Amino acid sequence: MGVQQPQYQSLYRASIKEAAMQGAALMQATLVRALREWPDTAARMDDVIERGVLLEALAVLKERQQALTDAFPQALLAEFAHAIAGERSAALNFDALSLLGDEQVQENADLVRAARALEEAVQPRLAELEAALAAAQLTPRGAAQRHPLRPEVYVRAVYRLARQSPLSSSVRRRWLRHLPPLMAPDLLQSYAVVAKRIAPAETALVPAEVAQEARDRATQLTIRELQKLLAGEPGEGAGEALIVFDESDFQHTVPAALEMVQDMRKVDQLMLQLRQRQAAMPGREQDSLVAFRDALRQEARKPAQALAVEVVQLMMDNLAADERLLPQVREVVRDLEPPLLRLALVDPRFFSDREHPARQLLEQLTQRSLAWTSAEDPAFQTFMGALQEATEALLDTRASGPETFEIALAALEEAWDEAQPRGRRNRERAVRALLRAEQRNLLAGELARKVLERPDAAGAPPEALAFLTGPWSQVMAQARLVDGSGSEDPGGYGWVVQTVLWSVQPALTARVAGHQQTLRNRIHEGLASIDHLPADTQRWQNLLAALRDLAMSVATGTALRAAGPEPAPERVDTWLAPLEMHESGFVPDAGVQLASTAAEPDALPPQELAVGAYVDLLSDGWERWQLTWASPHGLLFMFTHASGATRSMTRRKLHHTLQQGALRLVSSHPVVDGALDAVAHAAWRNSGTA
């Protein structure tokens, strides 16, 4: 599979950490350039008001120069962490557009323009860096440009600083407009160093965003127009769910003439013509689709309808270009464009309502398809069979509202669930086991703390305390969980705590003399109640016996035997019984040693790895898994394979897997959300807001 990611992961992490550490020097150099260049920039401005505001921003910048230099590394570190976590930017989030006020629109437009200016200034070195990252398999497939070192992240760090400073909005916006491009010289050098570190031999240079930029240039959408579209509501008295768009405040975004139509039957005729043309000209589906798009634009009643059609077209272009989707899925996406375009003419709720049946259908089919990396998998063929049947039904229908999508979605979900009954049962059984384990471990932790707080525990050997706060606290917790009487010490296992503590301390061992056999029997009984491994039980028994002998010999002054006891079993923070491990596919923490990750972007924080995310896990080779469950208290995480198999691990193990480069994020958010966010990104680029 090309170069193995773990080979370069440590270098990559070190480079990100170093970039954050160099933030102070980067900001200092940027501010020096600003103080030197902004007076000339202001002098060249014809607009007196704009000149005055820039000079005011310069004065504030000079006053806060040291504070900005000191604060930038932390701001940069925070933005790196968000980028590594795969978080979606609120500014470029399609669903958030309707919530933005005028001031936010202005600032976000400035942010996008500043990011674009900085990106253009560093493009040659940025392209080399992204090619090196892709070749070293350090970025998700098809998303080489979504790395934490991208220019946009640096601009967001500037924005973070500006928002945290006591500034007027006008000064804040001038900082955001004029500071980021001045980072280019230092960022060029930084990119060159990182690319050289991680680049494998003979790395091919491939421009990362050429296709995306071409799609962006193909539209004249603006943020104002998208906000209007998201605010669209059904018109009163509109027949067949037809939406009465308000065409005021909309500009014509499509050059073709917008003509009134007699009724929606013309759209149905266009659909029929499209299917006939595709059948008559195999291999010319794209040509037919282009013709359909053009004809449909001319059928739009209002400019707003033409805008809706254009947004769907851009969204589908982005989905069809998403390399994370297998080719067969991308073909289905293209097949679904005509019915979605038809829907866009009559129902703009598709854009504003995440629960809209058409949006849910598109989201479900794209997200579920990420479970497979090969079309040869029989389960994928079953998945595709149901999907193609639903697509055919949507193409054949003459209805233009959301009802047909709702029916298709229900049929698909039923077919997919029926195809994986074993997987569903496995997940349910695994979740029950993990919930039980977390509940017991949390209670065991409380009981362990109480053991350590006992006065007679202060002088006990650490090995004895490891037993009492480890497996024995699990025994006491299990007894409480299964007991219905409300007893404080069901099973009487608290007696073992006191007896062990006294038996291993020379000053106290005489108090429990003659209880050794009873103690051994109670320990054996208790550990058996949690299905503790017999071999580990015997090792604990031997260790405790040796500690008792040592305490007794010290108390009586007799000689010790030369041979030492067996070592104790390895202590684990979160313990699962063998059956729980089997039912959940548990990966033990054995051998896990973690470097400090506090305030460092060394690994994707597990709390940011949201349920539903797809990842590739490295075992004998890379395999695709989905994070399908996280325990309520964040102790345990469960991944599910397309085959229905489950794999679970502790938070500690997950951190370790991330640090070792044995887990790479494929998708942390719905694919459809990403496609719509790309539409918003294009609109931000086109927005000429001053």
Side-chain angles (χ1 to χ4, degrees), residues 65-348:
Q65 185 175 1
Q66 189 58 52
L68 291 173
T69 299
D70 295 341
F72 191 64
Q74 190 62 37
L76 197 55
L77 193 63
E79 292 300 330
F80 283 163
H82 287 309
I84 291 171
E87 291 183 345
R88 300 164 64 201
S89 163
L92 304 183
N93 183 334
F94 186 90
D95 291 329
L97 293 180
S98 60
L99 305 178
L100 296 180
D102 289 344
E103 187 64 36
Q104 291 172 298
V105 170
Q106 297 272 2
E107 290 186 355
N108 286 322
D110 285 333
L111 187 152
V112 172
R113 279 199 298 267
R116 182 57 179 265
L118 181 57
E119 182 179 325
E120 290 176 350
V122 299
Q123 186 55 48
R125 291 289 180 264
L126 177 62
E128 292 175 6
L129 172 64
E130 290 172 348
L133 291 173
Q137 299 184 16
L138 291 170
T139 51
R141 185 176 57 155
Q145 73 278 14
R146 305 305 296 169
H147 56 90
L149 296 176
R150 62 188 186 272
E152 178 191 330
V153 176
Y154 281 83
V155 177
R156 293 195 177 285
V158 174
Y159 187 37
R160 177 181 287 266
L161 275 189
R163 283 187 291 118
Q164 293 172 349
S165 302
L167 307 173
S168 67
S169 60
S170 59
V171 168
R172 183 167 61 244
R173 289 187 58 208
R174 270 62 186 184
W175 280 15
L176 189 57
R177 283 186 190 180
H178 298 285
L179 272 179
L182 299 179
M183 294 179 172
D186 299 271
L187 207 53
L188 277 167
Q189 184 177 1
S190 177
Y191 283 168
V193 171
V194 176
K196 186 175 181 180
R197 282 181 181 174
I198 64 175
E202 301 179 358
T203 297
L205 180 60
V206 180
E209 293 189 289
V210 173
Q212 180 62 52
E213 289 181 0
R215 289 192 290 274
D216 288 355
R217 287 194 297 270
T219 179
Q220 298 301 314
L221 289 174
T222 68
I223 289 301
R224 298 293 189 190
E225 291 167 335
L226 284 184
Q227 287 183 309
K228 285 290 185 180
L229 180 64
L230 288 168
E233 295 181 355
E236 294 183 4
E240 296 185 1
L242 185 66
I243 304 305
V244 179
F245 287 86
D246 179 5
E247 63 181 351
S248 62
D249 299 331
F250 277 101
Q251 297 178 354
H252 288 218
T253 61
V254 182
L258 300 173
E259 300 176 354
M260 301 293 284
V261 294
Q262 297 299 319
D263 53 38
M264 288 305 295
R265 285 196 296 274
K266 289 189 176 182
V267 180
D268 294 327
Q269 293 169 4
L270 287 172
M271 287 282 289
L272 179 60
Q273 292 169 11
L274 172 64
R275 303 213 67 192
Q276 291 173 340
R277 187 169 180 175
Q278 289 177 340
M281 295 187 302
R284 298 293 300 278
E285 289 83 359
Q286 185 59 37
D287 292 343
S288 299
L289 183 58
V290 170
F292 178 77
R293 287 173 170 177
D294 292 340
L296 197 62
R297 288 193 187 104
Q298 296 177 18
E299 298 299 328
R301 293 188 177 207
K302 308 278 188 181
Q305 289 179 309
L307 174 62
V309 168
E310 187 172 359
V311 171
V312 169
Q313 175 186 328
L314 287 170
M315 176 190 69
M316 302 304 280
D317 282 346
N318 284 307
L319 286 175
D322 194 327
E323 294 182 5
R324 293 171 299 178
L325 302 178
L326 290 172
Q328 293 87 341
V329 177
R330 281 182 271 169
E331 289 177 9
V332 170
V333 166
R334 277 301 187 204
D335 289 341
L336 285 174
E337 181 172 337
L340 285 171
L341 286 169
R342 180 173 59 181
L343 177 74
L345 283 178
V346 298
D347 192 356

Side-chain angles (χ1 to χ4, degrees), residues 619-634:
S619 183
D620 295 333
W622 289 103
E623 293 182 337
R624 179 67 49 81
W625 295 76
Q626 184 183 27
L627 179 59
T628 51
W629 182 83
S631 66
H633 296 274

Side-chain angles (χ1 to χ4, degrees), residues 603-620:
L604 181 66
Q607 63 267 28
E608 304 296 350
L609 192 60
V611 171
Y614 281 94
V615 301
D616 285 338
L617 287 171
L618 182 62
S619 183
D620 295 333

Side-chain angles (χ1 to χ4, degrees), residues 287-619:
D287 292 343
S288 299
L289 183 58
V290 170
F292 178 77
R293 287 173 170 177
D294 292 340
L296 197 62
R297 288 193 187 104
Q298 296 177 18
E299 298 299 328
R301 293 188 177 207
K302 308 278 188 181
Q305 289 179 309
L307 174 62
V309 168
E310 187 172 359
V311 171
V312 169
Q313 175 186 328
L314 287 170
M315 176 190 69
M316 302 304 280
D317 282 346
N318 284 307
L319 286 175
D322 194 327
E323 294 182 5
R324 293 171 299 178
L325 302 178
L326 290 172
Q328 293 87 341
V329 177
R330 281 182 271 169
E331 289 177 9
V332 170
V333 166
R334 277 301 187 204
D335 289 341
L336 285 174
E337 181 172 337
L340 285 171
L341 286 169
R342 180 173 59 181
L343 177 74
L345 283 178
V346 298
D347 192 356
R349 289 175 302 157
F350 172 80
F351 305 106
S352 59
D353 183 5
R354 295 184 61 88
E355 301 304 317
H356 191 287
R359 186 159 171 181
Q360 280 292 305
L361 173 67
L362 200 57
E363 183 173 302
Q364 287 292 322
L365 76 90
T366 52
Q367 283 302 107
R368 288 176 182 256
S369 75
L370 292 178
W372 293 277
T373 57
S374 171
E376 304 304 318
D377 191 310
F380 177 74
Q381 296 298 329
T382 302
F383 167 85
M384 283 300 300
L387 183 55
Q388 287 165 343
E389 288 182 10
T391 303
E392 288 293 322
L394 282 170
L395 291 172
D396 288 336
T397 184
R398 296 178 59 83
S400 56
E403 296 80 8
T404 53
F405 290 92
E406 188 172 6
I407 294 171
L409 176 62
L412 275 174
E413 289 179 335
E414 183 178 354
W416 288 335
D417 288 344
E418 288 178 355
Q420 289 190 322
R422 187 176 71 89
R424 184 173 60 254
R425 290 194 298 270
N426 285 350
R427 288 192 300 272
E428 292 171 353
R429 184 168 58 247
V431 167
R432 285 196 298 270
L434 293 172
L435 280 172
R436 183 171 62 245
E438 181 182 62
Q439 188 178 13
R440 188 186 59 253
N441 274 274
L442 289 170
L443 180 55
E446 295 177 9
L447 296 172
R449 284 190 290 274
K450 290 182 178 180
V451 169
L452 295 176
E453 290 169 357
R454 291 174 58 112
D456 54 2
E463 296 88 349
L465 292 176
F467 169 74
L468 294 175
T469 60
W472 200 251
S473 67
Q474 297 280 342
V475 170
M476 293 189 292
Q478 176 69 12
R480 284 198 184 186
L481 291 176
V482 300
D483 178 68
S485 67
S487 170
E488 185 69 19
D489 182 22
Y493 294 129
W495 176 84
V496 171
V497 175
Q498 176 178 283
T499 305
V500 167
L501 288 174
W502 289 5
S503 68
V504 296
Q505 299 183 66
L508 301 174
T509 187
R511 299 184 184 182
V512 292
H515 292 173
Q516 288 87 345
Q517 187 58 48
T518 303
L519 180 61
R520 288 184 64 89
N521 293 341
R522 295 304 306 278
I523 289 175
H524 182 81
E525 170 196 333
L527 293 179
S529 72
I530 60 171
D531 295 327
H532 202 256
L533 292 176
D536 285 344
T537 295
Q538 188 59 49
R539 289 168 67 187
W540 280 117
Q541 293 275 29
N542 293 343
L543 176 62
L544 293 174
L547 292 174
R548 290 195 297 271
D549 291 346
L550 175 61
M552 184 64 71
S553 66
V554 171
T556 60
T558 57
L560 295 175
R561 63 173 184 254
E566 290 186 65
E570 182 180 0
R571 170 70 186 274
V572 293
D573 292 331
T574 303
W575 181 83
L576 270 70
L579 181 60
E580 293 167 341
M581 296 177 68
H582 173 73
E583 290 181 336
S584 64
F586 186 71
V587 181
D589 288 354
V592 171
Q593 294 183 355
L594 292 175
S596 174
T597 58
E600 295 181 7
D602 283 346
L604 181 66
Q607 63 267 28
E608 304 296 350
L609 192 60
V611 171
Y614 281 94
V615 301
D616 285 338
L617 287 171
L618 182 62
S619 183

